[in-house]
Coordinates of all heavy atoms in Angstrom, one line a residue:
M3 N 133.8 214.2 64.7 CA 135.1 214.2 65.4 C 136.2 213.6 64.4 O 137.3 214.1 64.3 CB 134.9 213.4 66.6 CG 136.2 213.2 67.4 SD 136.5 214.7 68.3 CE 137.8 214.2 69.4
V4 N 135.9 212.5 63.8 CA 136.8 211.8 62.9 C 137.2 212.8 61.7 O 138.4 212.9 61.4 CB 136.3 210.5 62.4 CG1 137.2 209.9 61.4 CG2 136.0 209.5 63.6
S5 N 136.2 213.5 61.2 CA 136.5 214.3 60.0 C 137.4 215.5 60.5 O 138.2 216.0 59.7 CB 135.2 214.9 59.4 OG 134.5 215.6 60.3
A6 N 137.2 216.0 61.7 CA 138.0 217.1 62.2 C 139.5 216.6 62.4 O 140.4 217.4 62.1 CB 137.5 217.6 63.6
E7 N 139.7 215.4 62.8 CA 141.0 214.9 63.0 C 141.7 214.7 61.6 O 142.9 215.0 61.4 CB 141.0 213.5 63.7 CG 140.6 213.6 65.1 CD 140.5 212.3 65.8 OE1 140.9 211.2 65.2 OE2 140.0 212.2 67.0
K8 N 140.9 214.3 60.6 CA 141.5 214.1 59.2 C 141.9 215.5 58.7 O 142.9 215.6 58.1 CB 140.4 213.4 58.3 CG 140.3 212.0 58.6 CD 139.3 211.4 57.6 CE 139.1 209.9 57.9 NZ 138.1 209.3 57.0
E9 N 141.1 216.5 58.9 CA 141.4 217.8 58.4 C 142.6 218.4 59.1 O 143.5 219.0 58.5 CB 140.2 218.8 58.7 CG 139.1 218.6 57.7 CD 139.5 218.8 56.3 OE1 140.2 219.8 56.0 OE2 139.1 218.0 55.4
A10 N 142.8 218.1 60.4 CA 143.9 218.6 61.2 C 145.2 217.9 60.6 O 146.3 218.6 60.6 CB 143.8 218.3 62.7
K11 N 145.1 216.7 60.2 CA 146.3 216.0 59.7 C 146.7 216.5 58.3 O 147.9 216.5 58.0 CB 146.0 214.5 59.6 CG 146.0 213.8 60.9 CD 145.7 212.3 60.8 CE 145.6 211.6 62.1 NZ 145.3 210.2 62.0
K12 N 145.8 217.1 57.6 CA 146.1 217.6 56.3 C 146.8 219.0 56.3 O 147.5 219.4 55.4 CB 144.8 217.8 55.4 CG 144.2 216.5 55.0 CD 142.9 216.8 54.2 CE 142.2 215.5 53.9 NZ 141.0 215.7 53.2
K13 N 146.6 219.7 57.4 CA 147.2 221.0 57.6 C 148.7 220.9 57.8 O 149.2 220.0 58.4 CB 146.6 221.8 58.7 CG 145.1 222.1 58.5 CD 144.6 222.9 59.6 CE 143.1 223.2 59.4 NZ 142.5 223.9 60.5
E14 N 149.4 221.9 57.3 CA 150.9 222.0 57.4 C 151.2 222.5 58.8 O 150.7 223.4 59.3 CB 151.4 222.9 56.3 CG 152.9 223.0 56.4 CD 153.5 223.9 55.3 OE1 152.8 224.1 54.3 OE2 154.5 224.5 55.5
F15 N 152.2 221.8 59.4 CA 152.7 222.2 60.7 C 153.5 223.4 60.6 O 154.5 223.4 59.8 CB 153.5 221.1 61.4 CG 154.0 221.4 62.7 CD1 153.2 221.6 63.8 CD2 155.4 221.6 62.9 CE1 153.7 221.9 65.1 CE2 155.9 221.9 64.2 CZ 155.0 222.1 65.2
K16 N 153.2 224.5 61.3 CA 153.9 225.8 61.1 C 154.7 226.1 62.4 O 155.2 227.2 62.5 CB 152.9 226.9 60.8 CG 152.3 226.7 59.4 CD 151.3 227.8 59.1 CE 150.6 227.6 57.8 NZ 149.6 228.6 57.5
G17 N 154.8 225.3 63.3 CA 155.5 225.5 64.5 C 154.6 225.8 65.7 O 153.5 226.0 65.6
L18 N 155.3 225.7 66.9 CA 154.6 225.9 68.2 C 154.6 227.4 68.5 O 155.5 228.1 68.2 CB 155.3 225.2 69.3 CG 155.3 223.7 69.2 CD1 156.2 223.1 70.3 CD2 153.9 223.1 69.3
K19 N 153.5 227.8 69.1 CA 153.4 229.2 69.6 C 153.2 229.1 71.2 O 152.4 228.4 71.6 CB 152.2 229.9 69.0 CG 152.4 230.2 67.6 CD 151.2 230.8 67.0 CE 151.4 230.9 65.5 NZ 150.2 231.3 64.8
V20 N 154.1 229.8 71.9 CA 154.2 229.6 73.3 C 153.9 231.0 74.0 O 154.5 232.0 73.5 CB 155.6 229.1 73.8 CG1 155.7 229.0 75.3 CG2 155.9 227.8 73.1
V21 N 153.1 231.0 75.0 CA 152.9 232.2 75.8 C 153.3 231.9 77.2 O 152.8 230.9 77.8 CB 151.4 232.6 75.8 CG1 151.2 233.8 76.8 CG2 151.0 233.0 74.4
E22 N 154.2 232.6 77.8 CA 154.6 232.5 79.2 C 154.2 233.7 80.0 O 154.9 234.7 79.9 CB 156.1 232.2 79.3 CG 156.5 231.8 80.7 CD 157.9 231.5 80.9 OE1 158.7 231.6 80.0 OE2 158.2 231.1 82.0
A23 N 153.1 233.6 80.7 CA 152.7 234.7 81.5 C 153.4 234.7 82.8 O 153.8 233.6 83.3 CB 151.2 234.6 81.8
L24 N 153.7 235.8 83.4 CA 154.5 235.9 84.6 C 155.8 235.2 84.5 O 156.2 234.4 85.3 CB 153.7 235.4 85.8 CG 152.3 236.2 86.0 CD1 151.6 235.5 87.1 CD2 152.5 237.6 86.3
A25 N 156.6 235.6 83.5 CA 157.8 234.9 83.1 C 159.0 235.3 84.0 O 160.1 234.7 83.9 CB 158.2 235.1 81.7
A26 N 158.8 236.3 84.9 CA 159.9 236.8 85.8 C 161.1 237.2 84.9 O 161.0 238.1 84.1 CB 160.2 235.7 86.8
T27 N 162.2 236.6 85.1 CA 163.4 237.0 84.4 C 163.5 236.4 83.0 O 164.5 236.7 82.3 CB 164.7 236.6 85.2 OG1 164.7 235.2 85.4 CG2 164.7 237.3 86.6
G28 N 162.6 235.5 82.6 CA 162.6 234.9 81.3 C 163.6 233.8 81.1 O 163.7 233.4 79.9
L29 N 164.1 233.2 82.1 CA 165.1 232.2 81.9 C 164.4 230.9 81.3 O 165.0 230.2 80.5 CB 165.8 231.8 83.2 CG 166.7 232.9 83.8 CD1 167.3 232.5 85.1 CD2 167.8 233.2 82.7
R30 N 163.2 230.6 81.8 CA 162.5 229.4 81.2 C 162.2 229.7 79.7 O 162.4 228.8 78.9 CB 161.2 229.2 81.9 CG 160.5 227.9 81.4 CD 159.2 227.6 82.2 NE 159.6 227.2 83.6 CZ 159.1 227.9 84.7 NH1 158.4 228.9 84.5 NH2 159.5 227.5 85.8
S31 N 161.9 230.9 79.4 CA 161.6 231.3 78.0 C 162.9 231.1 77.1 O 162.8 230.6 76.0 CB 161.1 232.7 77.9 OG 159.9 232.9 78.5
V32 N 164.0 231.5 77.7 CA 165.3 231.3 77.0 C 165.5 229.9 76.7 O 165.9 229.4 75.6 CB 166.4 232.0 77.7 CG1 167.8 231.6 77.2 CG2 166.3 233.5 77.8
R33 N 165.3 229.1 77.7 CA 165.5 227.6 77.6 C 164.6 227.0 76.6 O 165.0 226.2 75.8 CB 165.3 226.9 79.0 CG 165.7 225.5 78.9 CD 165.7 224.9 80.3 NE 166.1 223.5 80.1 CZ 166.0 222.6 81.1 NH1 165.6 222.9 82.3 NH2 166.3 221.4 80.9
Y34 N 163.3 227.4 76.6 CA 162.4 227.0 75.5 C 162.9 227.3 74.1 O 163.0 226.4 73.3 CB 161.0 227.6 75.7 CG 160.2 227.2 76.8 CD1 159.1 228.0 77.3 CD2 160.4 226.0 77.5 CE1 158.3 227.6 78.4 CE2 159.6 225.6 78.6 CZ 158.6 226.4 79.0 OH 157.8 226.1 80.0
I35 N 163.3 228.5 73.9 CA 163.8 228.9 72.6 C 165.1 228.2 72.2 O 165.2 227.8 71.0 CB 164.1 230.4 72.6 CG1 162.8 231.2 72.7 CG2 164.8 230.9 71.3 CD1 162.9 232.7 73.0
K36 N 166.0 227.9 73.1 CA 167.2 227.2 72.8 C 167.0 225.7 72.6 O 167.8 225.1 71.8 CB 168.2 227.4 74.0 CG 168.7 228.9 74.2 CD 169.6 229.3 73.1 CE 170.2 230.6 73.4 NZ 171.2 231.0 72.4
E37 N 166.1 225.1 73.3 CA 166.0 223.7 73.3 C 164.9 223.1 72.4 O 164.9 221.9 72.1 CB 165.8 223.1 74.7 CG 167.0 223.4 75.6 CD 166.9 222.8 77.0 OE1 165.9 222.2 77.3 OE2 167.8 223.1 77.8
I38 N 163.9 223.9 72.0 CA 162.8 223.4 71.2 C 162.8 224.1 69.9 O 162.3 225.2 69.7 CB 161.4 223.7 71.9 CG1 161.5 223.0 73.4 CG2 160.3 223.1 71.1 CD1 160.3 223.4 74.2
P39 N 163.3 223.5 68.9 CA 163.5 224.1 67.6 C 162.2 224.4 66.8 O 162.2 225.2 65.9 CB 164.4 223.1 66.8 CG 164.2 221.8 67.5 CD 163.9 222.1 68.9
S40 N 161.1 223.7 67.2 CA 159.8 223.9 66.5 C 159.0 225.1 67.0 O 157.9 225.4 66.5 CB 159.0 222.6 66.6 OG 158.7 222.3 67.9
I41 N 159.6 225.9 67.9 CA 158.9 227.1 68.4 C 159.0 228.2 67.3 O 160.1 228.6 66.9 CB 159.4 227.6 69.7 CG1 159.1 226.6 70.8 CG2 158.9 229.0 70.0 CD1 159.6 227.1 72.2
S42 N 157.8 228.6 66.8 CA 157.8 229.7 65.8 C 157.7 231.1 66.4 O 158.1 232.1 65.9 CB 156.7 229.4 64.8 OG 155.5 229.5 65.4
R43 N 157.0 231.1 67.6 CA 156.8 232.4 68.3 C 156.7 232.1 69.8 O 156.0 231.2 70.2 CB 155.6 233.1 67.8 CG 155.4 234.4 68.4 CD 154.3 235.1 67.8 NE 154.2 236.4 68.4 CZ 153.5 237.4 68.0 NH1 152.8 237.3 66.9 NH2 153.4 238.6 68.6
L44 N 157.4 233.0 70.6 CA 157.2 232.9 72.0 C 157.0 234.3 72.5 O 157.7 235.3 72.2 CB 158.5 232.4 72.6 CG 158.5 232.1 74.1 CD1 159.1 230.8 74.5 CD2 159.1 233.3 74.9
V45 N 156.0 234.4 73.4 CA 155.6 235.7 74.0 C 155.8 235.5 75.5 O 155.2 234.6 76.1 CB 154.2 236.1 73.7 CG1 153.8 237.4 74.4 CG2 154.0 236.3 72.2
A46 N 156.6 236.3 76.1 CA 156.8 236.3 77.6 C 156.5 237.7 78.1 O 156.8 238.7 77.5 CB 158.2 235.9 77.9
N47 N 155.8 237.7 79.3 CA 155.5 238.9 80.0 C 155.5 238.8 81.5 O 155.6 237.7 82.0 CB 154.2 239.5 79.5 CG 153.0 238.7 79.9 OD1 153.1 237.7 80.6 ND2 151.8 239.0 79.5
D48 N 155.4 239.9 82.1 CA 155.4 239.9 83.6 C 154.7 241.2 84.0 O 154.7 242.2 83.2 CB 156.7 239.8 84.2 CG 156.6 239.3 85.7 OD1 156.3 240.1 86.6 OD2 156.8 238.1 85.9
L49 N 154.2 241.3 85.2 CA 153.6 242.5 85.7 C 154.6 243.6 86.2 O 154.3 244.8 86.1 CB 152.6 242.2 86.9 CG 151.4 241.3 86.6 CD1 150.7 240.9 87.8 CD2 150.5 242.1 85.6
L50 N 155.7 243.1 86.6 CA 156.7 244.0 87.2 C 157.7 244.5 86.1 O 158.2 243.8 85.3 CB 157.5 243.3 88.3 CG 156.7 242.8 89.5 CD1 157.6 242.0 90.4 CD2 156.0 244.0 90.2
K51 N 157.9 245.8 86.1 CA 158.8 246.4 85.2 C 160.2 245.9 85.4 O 161.0 245.6 84.4 CB 158.8 247.9 85.3 CG 159.8 248.6 84.3 CD 159.5 250.0 84.0 CE 160.5 250.7 83.1 NZ 161.2 249.9 82.1
T52 N 160.6 245.7 86.6 CA 162.0 245.2 86.9 C 162.1 243.8 86.3 O 163.2 243.5 85.7 CB 162.1 245.0 88.5 OG1 161.9 246.3 89.1 CG2 163.5 244.6 88.8
A53 N 161.1 243.0 86.4 CA 161.2 241.6 85.8 C 161.3 241.7 84.3 O 162.1 241.0 83.7 CB 159.9 240.8 86.2
T54 N 160.5 242.6 83.6 CA 160.6 242.7 82.2 C 161.9 243.3 81.7 O 162.5 242.9 80.7 CB 159.4 243.5 81.6 OG1 159.4 244.8 82.2 CG2 158.1 242.8 81.8
D55 N 162.5 244.2 82.5 CA 163.9 244.7 82.2 C 164.9 243.6 82.3 O 165.8 243.4 81.4 CB 164.2 245.8 83.1 CG 163.4 247.1 82.9 OD1 162.8 247.2 81.9 OD2 163.4 247.9 83.9
L56 N 164.8 242.7 83.3 CA 165.8 241.6 83.4 C 165.5 240.6 82.3 O 166.5 240.0 81.8 CB 165.6 240.9 84.8 CG 166.2 241.7 86.0 CD1 165.7 241.1 87.3 CD2 167.7 241.8 85.9
M57 N 164.3 240.4 82.0 CA 163.9 239.5 80.9 C 164.6 239.9 79.6 O 165.2 239.1 78.8 CB 162.4 239.4 80.7 CG 161.9 238.4 79.9 SD 160.1 238.4 79.7 CE 159.5 238.7 81.3
Q58 N 164.5 241.2 79.3 CA 165.1 241.8 78.1 C 166.6 241.6 78.1 O 167.2 241.2 77.0 CB 164.7 243.3 77.9 CG 165.2 243.9 76.7 CD 164.6 243.3 75.4 OE1 163.4 243.0 75.4 NE2 165.3 243.2 74.4
K59 N 167.2 241.8 79.2 CA 168.7 241.6 79.3 C 169.0 240.2 79.1 O 170.0 239.8 78.4 CB 169.2 242.1 80.7 CG 169.2 243.6 80.8 CD 169.7 244.0 82.2 CE 169.6 245.5 82.3 NZ 170.1 246.0 83.6
N60 N 168.3 239.2 79.7 CA 168.5 237.8 79.5 C 168.4 237.4 78.0 O 169.1 236.6 77.5 CB 167.6 237.0 80.4 CG 168.1 236.9 81.8 OD1 169.4 237.0 82.0 ND2 167.2 236.9 82.8
F61 N 167.3 237.9 77.3 CA 167.1 237.6 75.9 C 168.3 238.1 75.1 O 168.8 237.4 74.2 CB 165.8 238.2 75.4 CG 164.6 237.5 76.0 CD1 163.4 238.2 75.9 CD2 164.6 236.3 76.5 CE1 162.2 237.6 76.4 CE2 163.5 235.7 77.0 CZ 162.3 236.3 76.9
E62 N 168.8 239.3 75.4 CA 169.9 239.9 74.6 C 171.2 239.1 74.9 O 171.9 238.7 74.0 CB 170.1 241.3 75.0 CG 169.0 242.2 74.5 CD 169.1 243.6 75.0 OE1 170.0 244.0 75.8 OE2 168.2 244.4 74.7
F63 N 171.4 238.7 76.2 CA 172.6 238.0 76.5 C 172.7 236.6 75.9 O 173.7 236.1 75.5 CB 172.7 237.9 78.1 CG 173.9 237.1 78.6 CD1 175.1 237.8 78.6 CD2 173.8 235.8 78.9 CE1 176.3 237.1 79.1 CE2 174.9 235.1 79.4 CZ 176.2 235.8 79.5
N64 N 171.5 236.0 75.7 CA 171.4 234.7 75.2 C 171.1 234.6 73.7 O 170.7 233.6 73.1 CB 170.4 233.8 75.9 CG 170.9 233.5 77.3 OD1 171.7 232.6 77.4 ND2 170.4 234.2 78.3
N65 N 171.2 235.8 73.0 CA 170.9 235.9 71.6 C 169.6 235.4 71.2 O 169.4 234.7 70.2 CB 172.0 235.2 70.8 CG 173.4 235.8 71.0 OD1 173.5 237.0 71.1 ND2 174.4 235.0 71.2
C66 N 168.5 235.8 71.9 CA 167.1 235.5 71.6 C 166.4 236.7 71.1 O 166.6 237.8 71.7 CB 166.4 234.9 72.8 SG 167.2 233.4 73.5
D67 N 165.6 236.6 70.0 CA 164.9 237.7 69.5 C 163.7 238.0 70.5 O 163.1 237.2 71.1 CB 164.3 237.4 68.2 CG 165.4 237.2 67.1 OD1 166.4 237.8 67.3 OD2 165.1 236.5 66.1

């Protein structure tokens, strides 16, 4: 356990990866992207096409990739 912790400390931090399942309109995802600079990748999805369409519009409106 101690050696695993030492190895983890030696690795370079490359940012957070976030998955938001059932993100609905994506507003929380937008907030994560805007407020947490260490996020390197965020994946958001939803089951409903209407929700993913609104999510895409919200990402575009808020200048999020």
Side-chain angles (χ1 to χ4, degrees):
M3 178 79 168
V4 174
S5 62
E7 289 177 11
K8 287 182 181 178
E9 286 298 316
K11 288 180 181 179
K12 290 180 184 177
K13 293 182 181 177
E14 182 180 334
F15 178 70
K16 297 180 181 176
L18 297 172
K19 295 177 183 165
V20 178
V21 174
E22 187 177 7
L24 301 175
T27 60
L29 292 177
R30 183 177 293 119
S31 298
V32 168
R33 186 169 181 192
Y34 288 159
I35 292 169
K36 295 285 188 178
E37 295 181 5
I38 305 172
S40 60
I41 291 180
S42 63
R43 181 172 183 169
L44 185 137
V45 176
N47 68 2
D48 201 282
L49 294 172
L50 300 175
K51 179 155 175 37
T52 305
T54 56
D55 291 343
L56 287 171
M57 193 183 313
Q58 184 64 38
K59 288 180 183 178
N60 280 327
F61 290 161
E62 290 171 4
F63 181 77
N64 288 286
N65 298 318
C66 300
D67 294 335

